[in-house]
Amino acid sequence: MIRGLRRRALAAVATAALLPLAACTPGSEGGGNEEKPVEDVATDISSVGDVTLTVWDQEVRGGQDQPLKELNAAFMEKYPNVTIKRVSRSFPDLQRQLRLAISGDNAPDVVQANNARGDMGAFVKAGLLQSLDSYAQVYGWEERFPEGVRAVASYSEDGVTFGDGNLYGIPLTGEMVGLWYNQAKLDELGIQPPETFADFEVAMKTAKDAGEVPIQFGNLDQWPGVHEWGFVQNEFAPREDIRNLGFGQEGSSWTSDENTAAAETLTEWVDKGYFTDGFNGFGYDPAWQDFAEGDGVFLISGTWLLADLEAGLGDDLGFMLPPVGESGEVNVTGSTGLPFSITDASENPDVAAAYLDFITSEDAMTKFSEAGGLPVVDIEKQSPTGTQADVFQAWETANENDALTPYLDWATPEATELVPTEVQRLMGGETSVDEFLGALEDDYTSFVEE
Amino acid sequence: MSRAASEAVEDAARQRPTGPQTGPPVAPGSTGPPGEPRRVAYLYVAPAMVIFAGFMLVPLVHGVWLSLFEWDGLSVGTWVGLGNYRDVLTDPELRAPFVHSLVLIIFFSAVPIILGLTLAAIMARASLRGSGFFRTVLFLPQVVAMVVVAIAWRDIYAPEGSINDVLSAVGLDSLTRAWLGEPSFALIAVGLVGSWVGTGLCMVLFLAGLSKVPRELYESATLDGAGPLRQFLAVGLPALRGELAVAMTLTLVAALRTFDLVYVMSEGGPGRATRVPSFEVYRWSMEAGKVGYGVTIALLLTAVILVLTVVINKVAEGDNS
């Protein structure tokens, strides 16, 4: 009797637990990726009734947070029928939670999705984002945003091709990984900001001989190494190759002579002690903080550090594009800030699109510029001072020369993890140049072949 | 479940004694042993059972279900049956993380237990001045959130951190290094933090166990001519069997499921030198978009932990009887 009861109870628990599952395969079908015809797009959204727009963004830093807050307030003032519910999280947190949120029942309307295949690409593939092509036509985004800016937020409808196809997001800011330098240190050492790659190597040697840290660098977090690698690769490899590798498109190879030369150069710099001692055990944040406090001659990192570095170094801070190297072209790892996209689940895509247009307007760009950021467009209409002017100048040059190359860890779903790991191993002396390039080539070719 | 519960209620109502009774209540027609009717027990455990089922069993079963799919967490999954299990068990890249966690067992389990025993033996014997203070200080790491611990140690291990400062100060510059940046030291560095955290817990557990030992036993051991070590081995240690089992279970589980320390201190690096199974679970299911694969690793890890804890408890009980 008791045994029977226990068995029945267990069976009841087990069945209760299994029943809802038996019928459900995980995941959702997503939307049909249906695109709204141009003529159906409503741009006057004051007449759509009361709408709440949920926006997930990662603009938590002062320079972007404040202007966005003001823009949201201005938008709600302009359209009193719209309430913006803003959820902002730091980049890593957003990246992780977005996967769950965007496929859930209460998906936000507007999200800031990372350009990479593993993020935006996966969302497009699953039919969770709306193509913005119709809105781009209506709002004139095709003219407003240069091709390079749109390319990094474009995918084919099946999410397979990256860099081409439908537009899935528009960004607010630009960013690139250039060369920060400490002018006071350069003066002390009697050297100029390097114009060529050879100059740069001489400058590092001079700095090293004088007992300075040539390149301030912390790689405990693994991802910063990709920026150092990209910097060197930009000196050697042709732009087209880097783009093919970065977008995961056919036609290039990691084991090319140029990439081999780049990897050899990077290890040579490590051997010569051009980077901070023990960089693989040193965090990214303490590294740039040390640089901002006057330790280190150069720093290879992104424009997102502008405000923080300027706070430390003031007028001594300089920024330049990577010096021109063997490839003979100016190449710079760069892209836009995370693009804002509209989810498939959004019930008010017209409102969301009007919001996107509003926060990327000329006024908005001025706000981002004034807050110390690098607006993605309308650079020429701003009047920056100090190092911000250097950064703006470099961004303009890069865009005029079509010099932007993608982040290499975007390329394949595996690359997000593989590239940082392998670069860390290469720079730590754990693997040889051939093993390093071989590992990346294997991932690239097996992805491209699929 | 609800049926079981209602039967239990009926049972309880039917069998509740109505007047003063001399003997234990015997249910009419019951062939079971005397005492409280057994079925009513289900009523007592029901609230806990509901919570346990809701937050542990259902997710576990759901996890098993997910492990049978190839799923990116977004689009519709593909049924692969036991494919994920086959892949996980044959993936050579996953062997290293499991080996790493074996290494961590030494630091999370063996070292704290040995240190904890030593400290407890000393503290239980000698009436040190300020022993309460030492106990508190040693136990403190256990109270601090692991993420905080990890961030603090990340700075301590930094190339210009306190450890290297101390080494330089005493003239051992040749030993200074980026502790978390070198593959051969990073895992040990992470493990030592585990030792630091676990020692206090073990010590407090063992102190509690030793306090149950009657003074007389020590006295008679002293009369028999046993020294401090001998006394501890003959009197103290045997009394600690239960506490040892608890300490082993807790520390072993801590070692095998380590995630926060590795995630914050080294991101699994340099290279892959500090990757552990839990980190792989996170990496595959949250970052690489292979949810089924990650969940399969988690389930296998759960199975390993379950087997080990059962073995530990069997051994501890077995010796008792």
Side-chain angles (χ1 to χ4, degrees), chain B residues 10 31 49 103 134 140 159 171 175 189 216 220 253 267 305:
Chain B
E10 279 167 27
T31 53
M49 195 63 200
V103 175
F134 288 120
L140 218 52
L175 291 183
E216 295 78 22
S220 68
V253 171
E267 284 271 340
I305 292 177

Side-chain angles (χ1 to χ4, degrees), chain A residues 209-419:
Chain A
D209 291 345
E212 297 283 350
V213 177
I215 302 176
Q216 186 60 259
F217 178 44
N219 197 28
L220 182 53
D221 311 86
Q222 288 200 330
W223 59 265
V226 182
H227 295 166
E228 318 297 293
W229 159 254
F231 183 89
V232 181
Q233 192 189 26
N234 279 324
E235 299 294 328
F236 288 89
R239 202 176 279 164
E240 275 321 301
D241 271 357
I242 304 178
R243 286 185 183 162
N244 281 339
L245 296 173
F247 286 126
Q249 287 161 356
E250 276 175 287
S252 294
S253 165
W254 278 99
T255 49
S256 68
D257 290 346
E258 293 91 352
N259 283 327
T260 310
E264 277 165 359
T265 304
L266 187 64
T267 50
E268 207 179 290
W269 288 3
V270 173
D271 293 342
K272 287 182 177 165
Y274 287 170
F275 296 103
T276 316
D277 271 348
F279 54 81
N280 269 349
F282 187 41
Y284 171 75
D285 288 335
W288 68 252
Q289 283 156 2
D290 278 4
F291 181 78
E293 281 165 17
D295 194 5
V297 182
F298 297 105
L299 174 75
I300 296 171
S301 192
T303 47
W304 53 82
L305 288 177
L306 173 63
D308 291 315
L309 295 181
E310 209 168 23
L313 288 174
D315 292 342
D316 286 337
L317 179 69
F319 179 84
M320 58 182 288
L321 290 171
V324 178
E326 308 257 325
S327 63
E329 320 169 311
V330 200
N331 286 340
V332 56
T333 308
S335 169
T336 66
L338 262 53
F340 280 71
S341 304
I342 304 179
T343 61
D344 186 68
S346 174
E347 284 167 11
N348 302 291
D350 286 352
V351 179
Y355 172 73
L356 258 48
D357 192 59
F358 188 84
I359 58 171
T360 54
S361 67
E362 203 180 312
D363 281 350
M365 293 301 151
T366 305
K367 275 194 169 37
F368 289 115
S369 169
E370 281 168 359
L374 173 63
V376 64
V377 288
D378 297 334
I379 289 283
E380 64 289 350
K381 292 175 185 142
Q382 317 301 332
S383 43
T385 54
T387 317
Q388 198 183 16
D390 292 356
V391 170
F392 280 30
Q393 178 64 47
W395 181 247
E396 271 191 294
T397 312
N399 279 308
E400 276 162 20
N401 288 291
D402 185 30
L404 293 182
T405 54
Y407 293 103
L408 293 153
D409 48 353
W410 283 357
T412 71
E414 300 274 304
T416 314
E417 171 268 324
L418 186 73
V419 178

Side-chain angles (χ1 to χ4, degrees), chain A residues 38 41 43 132-147 150 167 170 353 356-357 360-361 377-378:
Chain A
V38 175
V41 171
T43 52
L132 302 182
D133 282 359
S134 301
Y135 296 113
Q137 249 181 297
V138 172
Y139 287 106
W141 292 341
E142 277 164 24
E143 296 78 48
R144 182 153 177 72
F145 299 99
E147 199 196 332
R150 283 180 283 125
L167 180 68
I170 53 172
L356 258 48
D357 192 59
T360 54
S361 67
V377 288
D378 297 334

Side-chain angles (χ1 to χ4, degrees), chain A residues 1-2 5-6 8-10 12-14 17-18 21-29 92 96 98-100 102-103 118-119 122-123 125-126 128 220-222 277-286 290 295 413-414 416-418 421-422 424-425 428 430, chain B residues 1-4 7-8 11 38-39 42 49 53 57-58 61-62 65-66 69 71-79 154-155 157-160 178-183 263-273 275 282-290:
Chain A
M1 175 74 193
I2 290 173
L5 180 67
R6 186 185 295 161
R8 275 210 305 282
L10 274 179
V13 171
L18 275 170
L21 298 171
C24 88
T25 300
S28 63
E29 294 283 354
R96 275 149 213 160
L98 198 52
R99 283 189 89 85
L100 298 173
I102 198 172
S103 53
D119 300 293
F123 299 155
K125 191 176 164 195
L128 297 170
L220 182 53
D221 311 86
Q222 288 200 330
D277 271 348
F279 54 81
N280 269 349
F282 187 41
Y284 171 75
D285 288 335
D290 278 4
D295 194 5
E414 300 274 304
T416 314
E417 171 268 324
L418 186 73
T421 307
E422 290 300 331
Q424 196 184 31
R425 277 154 55 88
E430 271 188 82
Chain B
M1 196 60 213
S2 63
R3 184 171 159 79
E7 274 185 40
D11 268 6
R38 298 299 162 96
R39 281 176 223 161
Y42 287 106
M49 195 63 200
L57 275 183
V58 172
V61 174
H62 188 60
W65 180 248
L66 286 181
F69 286 86
W71 184 41
D72 62 3
L74 298 167
S75 40
V76 180
T78 319
W79 175 268
R154 193 175 139 123
D155 285 350
Y157 282 131
E160 294 185 3
W179 296 97
L180 292 172
E182 293 185 19
Y263 179 67
V264 175
M265 284 175 74
S266 65
E267 284 271 340
R272 303 179 176 86
R275 285 195 183 165
Y282 165 78
R283 197 168 70 76
W284 285 107
S285 48
M286 301 298 287
E287 292 197 325
K290 286 192 169 183

Side-chain angles (χ1 to χ4, degrees), chain B residues 142-163:
Chain B
Q142 197 69 39
V143 184
V144 183
M146 267 313 221
V147 172
V148 179
V149 168
I151 291 172
W153 277 92
R154 193 175 139 123
D155 285 350
I156 293 171
Y157 282 131
E160 294 185 3
S162 340
I163 290 192

Side-chain angles (χ1 to χ4, degrees), chain B residues 280-305:
Chain B
E280 295 288 329
V281 172
Y282 165 78
R283 197 168 70 76
W284 285 107
S285 48
M286 301 298 287
E287 292 197 325
K290 286 192 169 183
V291 178
Y293 195 77
V295 169
T296 307
I297 303 175
L299 288 171
L300 290 173
L301 182 64
T302 311
V304 170
I305 292 177

